[in-house]
Amino acid sequence: MNSMQRAEVLIEALPYIKQFRGKTFVIKYGGSVMENRELTREFIEDVALLKLVGINIVIVHGGGKRINAMLDRVNLDVKFEQGQRVTDGEVMKIVEMVLSGQINKNLAAELSAHGLNAVGLSGKDSGLLKAEKKLTEGKDGELLDLGYVGEVREVNSSLLCSLIRDGYIPIISPVAGGYEKGETFNVNADYAAGAVAGAIEAEKLILLSDIKGLYKDINDEDSFITEIHVDQVKAYIEDGTISGGMIPKMECCMNAIDKGTNEVVIIDGRVAHSLLIEIFTNAGSGTMVKA
Amino acid sequence: MNSMQRAEVLIEALPYIKQFRGKTFVIKYGGSVMENRELTREFIEDVALLKLVGINIVIVHGGGKRINAMLDRVNLDVKFEQGQRVTDGEVMKIVEMVLSGQINKNLAAELSAHGLNAVGLSGKDSGLLKAEKKLTEGKDGELLDLGYVGEVREVNSSLLCSLIRDGYIPIISPVAGGYEKGETFNVNADYAAGAVAGAIEAEKLILLSDIKGLYKDINDEDSFITEIHVDQVKAYIEDGTISGGMIPKMECCMNAIDKGTNEVVIIDGRVAHSLLIEIFTNAGSGTMVKA
Amino acid sequence: MNSMQRAEVLIEALPYIKQFRGKTFVIKYGGSVMENRELTREFIEDVALLKLVGINIVIVHGGGKRINAMLDRVNLDVKFEQGQRVTDGEVMKIVEMVLSGQINKNLAAELSAHGLNAVGLSGKDSGLLKAEKKLTEGKDGELLDLGYVGEVREVNSSLLCSLIRDGYIPIISPVAGGYEKGETFNVNADYAAGAVAGAIEAEKLILLSDIKGLYKDINDEDSFITEIHVDQVKAYIEDGTISGGMIPKMECCMNAIDKGTNEVVIIDGRVAHSLLIEIFTNAGSGTMVKA
Amino acid sequence: MNSMQRAEVLIEALPYIKQFRGKTFVIKYGGSVMENRELTREFIEDVALLKLVGINIVIVHGGGKRINAMLDRVNLDVKFEQGQRVTDGEVMKIVEMVLSGQINKNLAAELSAHGLNAVGLSGKDSGLLKAEKKLTEGKDGELLDLGYVGEVREVNSSLLCSLIRDGYIPIISPVAGGYEKGETFNVNADYAAGAVAGAIEAEKLILLSDIKGLYKDINDEDSFITEIHVDQVKAYIEDGTISGGMIPKMECCMNAIDKGTNEVVIIDGRVAHSLLIEIFTNAGSGTMVKA
Amino acid sequence: MNSMQRAEVLIEALPYIKQFRGKTFVIKYGGSVMENRELTREFIEDVALLKLVGINIVIVHGGGKRINAMLDRVNLDVKFEQGQRVTDGEVMKIVEMVLSGQINKNLAAELSAHGLNAVGLSGKDSGLLKAEKKLTEGKDGELLDLGYVGEVREVNSSLLCSLIRDGYIPIISPVAGGYEKGETFNVNADYAAGAVAGAIEAEKLILLSDIKGLYKDINDEDSFITEIHVDQVKAYIEDGTISGGMIPKMECCMNAIDKGTNEVVIIDGRVAHSLLIEIFTNAGSGTMVKA
Amino acid sequence: MNSMQRAEVLIEALPYIKQFRGKTFVIKYGGSVMENRELTREFIEDVALLKLVGINIVIVHGGGKRINAMLDRVNLDVKFEQGQRVTDGEVMKIVEMVLSGQINKNLAAELSAHGLNAVGLSGKDSGLLKAEKKLTEGKDGELLDLGYVGEVREVNSSLLCSLIRDGYIPIISPVAGGYEKGETFNVNADYAAGAVAGAIEAEKLILLSDIKGLYKDINDEDSFITEIHVDQVKAYIEDGTISGGMIPKMECCMNAIDKGTNEVVIIDGRVAHSLLIEIFTNAGSGTMVKA
């Protein structure tokens, strides 16, 4: 690549920098990218670049695989019903330790090592996330109580706003406090990211996932959707175009938009620098769901 | 107690409020008070009162007993040499999860439930604490490498200062990052509290302990020392007046003063409201070591 | 009283400090407390404590007895009609000198000697209080012109706001300017305090009086009223429950609430530290009239 | 006077406005101008103009004649020794009431009626002026104790600075607090003005007096001095050129310069608008003593 | 003129200073005053005085004669139709160089030499003025395209506001950018001044002209109009009272008021200090058209 | 170029953005880039990108060719001696009109059209540049007076600082005021840029030139120097390594560093996006002279 081509890439980024400078992006970080050292390193470089050109970043992370490993180790069952983890009090303690005490702090440390001022938080800090028990619909439509599985009810954004204003990058573990003294809930990271994005009126919610995005027909590469209105998503679900495993992911996008987020982007975390490519190049890389 | 007596208590507190308003206290919270629900509740009330009359609070917590329980559960040995925990990589992960993911966040949540804005941090957030391996002197004077046992080398106080200025109470877990990529160290909570107090030029470092304070003669209740100069402490260690288990505690005080703390107070965490009594009444309650 | 009891008193004050921090109280200071050195000293201690825990204070003082003494000395008649002082031009000059030149400045000096930044003002400073002549209803319902007896028409709160913001305690003498060039009016201190409290949207107006508060039946100690709604006061006046000398005091409370004050408290100035007890203990000490 | 001439007067004022904008002048207001309604009205107009073009004003007033009248009225002796008023406790109370309660507040009210934000203070407000007893040299060189005659020892300028910054005009009564509880001192207004000017580093101290200024030979109109260095004043006193009643006035100027004032101007208060003419015209009107 | 008279002139200016302090005046500077060194010097003195008493100034200048001279020199025709300059691309370049490169910068330099912080701008700086082509009505009502003769469509006042807030005097050349890339338009200075005055909500627009103002009957000196409502101007144009050359000038005033200016004053630039006389004396000097 | 490569270019820019964010660059814009529409467009894109990533920009422009064309047109001689333009009063007027009235304003308009807030200034605005006559050394060492050829003596940086702080891009024409009333000087744009860079303590001075940079041996492409210390430049001039036309360019660099600039970079304005390549890629593009 010659100098001129390099300059063109930078110039191409110009209108995007102009557009997003001073805005806030909430990024859901999870899945494969989290388990792969190389992808993680690239993700951190991407975040650093976004921050430097003046975009405020908030990260909400997930953590499934490491939780399972730890539960195994303490001889607790790894049990899921309808895709939700069965979470009694003992399980909840392990979940929280892994999420808030291991993944969260390691990510904060890695970002900080790159000269970013990252601060690891959980929903229990300064009332950041308050949740209530969420019942899960069973196979036969009955409601199942899976324990400390929660749904975010309140976001106290003042701590986030203070930290963002002072140039910090908040990293949020998807663990919330409850309304009863001492309660702790495990909340879905995608949904938590959506609630946070809504509460701070983020410009974009970006979901780093293990899929490329949305296809009209999953078997037809050419039917990839780069941009779609939330109402169309609903229509596609109703007419069966969207089905199976894509439904929960799409419900999460719809929920995030419903909570006040302007725009949700699903990008493929398995592709190197997919974050940067999505934001700073005309090509883009994923599916954007708009309000 | 009649109204007049109540008024007198408040009036007695007046000069102390005047003196400490706008100053910062670093409190080391650990030992029995942490294991006792009632004492913890009273400790939180005390912190709330200090904050309300305008004193900034930073808390550094310990966590010994719960770490041991978790290590047991994952079948890792609980091993100490010369009072220091033997901490290999596997042990360090458990230590961190318990400290930063359980104790730290639960304390943040409890304080926040009292209307305080508490934020749980570890030394790995935004480069707050950087440590290096600390070798331990063995029985025969040889130096032992006990693994990830660290000594704080740097404190990045800017995050603390931002949070304090905005009215938050930072809660710090005694886990530090290292200078090599990915390193994590377990640091002594008393020493970490001393390093933090020095870095932010705290007015007081208060060590909530399981002892009443310092006695000239441990068998003579009347020899209790309410205030002592750091030089006198050194002299007492040299002449054998202070001996045995009191030596490390006193070394911690001396180290804290050396790092820049103005005043270290050892108070008895087993006594209800000992924090409040120490700060707001003429009687005081512990031993004050002055620079 | 032991340490534990002392701590409890401080803890009991906690919610009140939380509630009133950063709010402003207007205190009418007059009657017996002003004539008694010991009570005055305690009043000043109470004000100092309120200020230290973050409550802004404005004081409006009275001055009856010392005015009479001075009028005597210059051979002017001390004359009242329907409880109002007959105030011709000569009397007004003496009234003003005693209030603004003696009582006001001595109180400012005493508070300042306690490390408080007290500033003595009268209504004539920077247009603070503007009054118009107030006619007095005579025995037979006729309107009497008693001279420079005024009613506050306007409060220019900007000077008070500047001083409060900079941490000063304004002390206000109940002397107002008029709308005609050179006019000066004597205004009722209780009413002036009410007008000031309304203009600066004070949290509380506290009237230090020579009574314990309001009783439903003055002869029955048990009928003491600790809290009452302003509408109930009106009803009690209409049905005769409140009568005689309590009527003007209650009218003053109603007027203060009408002018915008949220809450008026009548407390007994003859009781040591009644101010502190009212504000910081569950027991309270007087009668609160609420809007 | 035609338009062109009017424009020239304004243009002539230009460099003076440029020079003094944002600076502070302390004006000693006393003597004939205070006793004459017309001169007072013109003085207020002059102060208003100075304020409007951006000059900060502090006024220190005197009050001799009205004090004597009031002392007479309460049958206290009007007694002077060596030009100083004999001031026992009873006299002091009357002096303070007339100065702080009458003259001070009336001046504040008059200035405020012209749209200026004037605030009447005495030295007892917020520790503004602290004085000690000043002994007076008697005829035979012996030291006389004339009671509460004080000399300013400390000026707490923070209240003045707050008020000036917020656009207020402080009016100061020459009454000071003492170092003993409850003490009040009568201080010389010229000297008080000098101490205030020094403490706030005023640009100019202007003494409105009943003399035209300084003459080398009082009998020779042509020997009028428009500008003189403080050292020359000392030389003239030593060689007898300045003698008699001019000596105390000149000592006051020297003292003011000694306390830190840059420039003292004596102007004739009996001449209409002498303040304006001195400051805004090339002609000037009095004698300037320079540091 | 004696001192007393001088003082009176200053006192007479008092209410005007009070009224205009902190307000902004836009002054159209052009015609004879610009061609005469003495008048220019006096104009600068007047501007300096206005600035010093706290009035913000924006100047829009014209420049006809010097443009003609330069066009002559480069052998371009000086051609007008219906009072508008025929302005092809070549002419426009010369017009811009003379206005923005000569007159504008010389005026900025002269004002700056008087200690004022004057900054020369044209409408092309930071999008200050955007214009569109303005067609001119020909003799027979047909529309003539005279080239780069523009009409202001947008004013970007943020640069002006920044400069005014920081104490600068913007000097604006009547050259505007267009909506097509690279376009430059010559705009009428009176109209440009009106558009600027409207955009920044100026207190006054002052047109320095070569006429004394408006007369009801141009042959009758006594029919001079000192103040007139904009509606009356319209009525006078309709009934023929205002006719001939006065019509465009009056249309300009009406247009300025229409754009948001509060008050337009036409004053005679040929009279020394007419600006000062208009603003600071009761006499005034020109015709004021009010909204 | 694929997405991954694009991401790498952006990532490569990361450390440079980090390093220069919030710093100020002064760019000398002149020569071929100014005469070529395409290069100018690319230069503007580059400036926009620098500004967007948080670098403050000040531009100083030259203008030789267009001045000559205009002098021709008005029949004035284009005369140089020793590389300096002979500049009598008539020539100076044309020079100023072209520089400040044409080139300067067109550049401001073009940048503004790209959404940048560019403000065209000359040294005559608010005393920005003050110059004195500079004599030129003739062939035989004699000093020649070439008229209004000046050397910058003073830079008043406050206007630049205000504009930079508010986000504006100052564009400076190399025309300075003098110390005598009405004087205007033509100053060398490279030197003016150096003086400005020194006065505002710029991070970098970038000279866009018509050369690639410095070669040790002009005939050997491989001897290109990418970085050199100012002392080495001096040594090379002395030993003849640098000779001929490179000497004045190098003297300008040395002078700029002498005036306080940290680093001067000569880059080739004839190469597209050379500015961006120099600043944001590891390759760089010109010669850097370091202090």
Side-chain angles (χ1 to χ4, degrees), chain A residues 112-131:
Chain A
S112 298
H114 271 71
L116 297 167
N117 295 314
V119 179
L121 303 171
S122 95
K124 288 163 76 174
D125 290 304
S126 204
L128 178 52
L129 299 176
K130 281 213 163 159

Side-chain angles (χ1 to χ4, degrees), chain D residues 86-245:
Chain D
V86 180
T87 313
D88 63 18
E90 279 307 290
V91 169
M92 186 63 235
K93 276 189 192 160
I94 299 302
V95 166
E96 183 178 15
M97 283 196 292
V98 174
L99 287 172
S100 305
Q102 193 185 89
I103 295 172
N104 183 271
K105 293 303 177 187
N106 284 337
L107 184 55
E110 279 193 77
L111 283 160
S112 298
H114 271 70
L116 297 166
N117 295 314
V119 178
L121 304 170
S122 96
K124 289 163 75 174
D125 289 304
S126 204
L128 178 52
L129 300 176
K130 280 213 167 162
E132 274 182 338
K133 178 175 293 227
K134 179 189 180 182
L135 297 178
T136 299
E137 200 174 334
K139 267 175 299 197
D140 308 320
E142 79 284 16
L143 291 176
L144 306 171
D145 177 347
L146 304 181
Y148 293 100
V149 173
E151 193 159 14
V152 175
R153 282 278 170 258
E154 264 180 87
V155 180
N156 177 349
S157 59
S158 63
L159 173 58
L160 295 181
C161 294
S162 288
L163 290 171
I164 290 170
R165 188 202 56 213
D166 291 351
Y168 292 96
I169 297 180
I171 315 289
I172 304 172
S173 154
V175 169
Y179 288 88
E180 300 297 311
K181 193 172 155 45
E183 276 183 342
T184 300
F185 287 102
N186 183 13
V187 295
N188 177 288
D190 286 356
Y191 280 79
V196 165
I200 62 174
E201 298 181 355
E203 178 70 15
K204 267 183 203 278
L205 167 63
I206 300 168
L207 304 173
L208 272 179
S209 313
D210 287 356
I211 53 171
K212 187 172 179 317
L214 186 65
Y215 291 88
K216 210 176 154 182
D217 174 355
I218 193 68
N219 298 314
D220 175 6
E221 183 74 20
D222 292 346
S223 72
F224 185 72
I225 295 167
T226 56
E227 193 174 322
I228 187 168
H229 190 276
V230 71
D231 292 338
Q232 186 61 39
V233 172
K234 281 173 200 158
Y236 279 168
I237 290 175
E238 271 163 35
D239 72 11
T241 307
I242 297 174
S243 67

Side-chain angles (χ1 to χ4, degrees), chain C residues 118-130:
Chain C
V119 179
L121 304 171
S122 95
K124 288 164 77 174
D125 288 304
S126 204
L128 178 51
L129 300 176
K130 280 213 166 161

Side-chain angles (χ1 to χ4, degrees), chain C residues 60 73 147 160 173 191 205 225 230 258 262:
Chain C
V60 180
R73 220 167 139 189
L160 296 181
S173 155
Y191 280 78
L205 167 63
I225 296 166
V230 71
D258 188 56
N262 190 39

Side-chain angles (χ1 to χ4, degrees), chain B residues 235-251:
Chain B
Y236 278 169
I237 290 175
E238 272 163 35
D239 71 11
T241 307
I242 296 174
S243 66
M246 273 316 282
I247 291 183
K249 187 62 88 183
M250 283 300 122
E251 272 176 346

